[in-house]
Amino acid sequence: MSGVVYRVDWLPGTDLLSGRCHCGARHEAEDPVAMWEWMLAHPDHPTVSEEEHTP
């Protein structure tokens, strides 16, 4: 997996983490474990837009 980059940033003023997978998908979560599970689920993780539109 050389060259694969995962990025997680804390959103100041919140309890949220913002993550970006190397494929460009984005996700927000409060739980760091949930964030890493989402990232490591590539390519089967949903994108933020898919999650927002789930009833």
Side-chain angles (χ1 to χ4, degrees), residues 17 29-37:
L17 299 171
E30 289 184 14
D31 180 12
V33 173
M35 175 63 73
W36 284 107
E37 287 174 345

Side-chain angles (χ1 to χ4, degrees), residues 4-27:
V4 174
V5 176
Y6 297 96
R7 183 174 183 106
V8 177
D9 295 310
W10 167 64
L11 299 175
T14 72
D15 291 333
L16 289 175
L17 299 171
S18 175
R20 186 176 71 214
C21 181
H22 62 90
C23 70
R26 294 182 177 269
H27 180 68

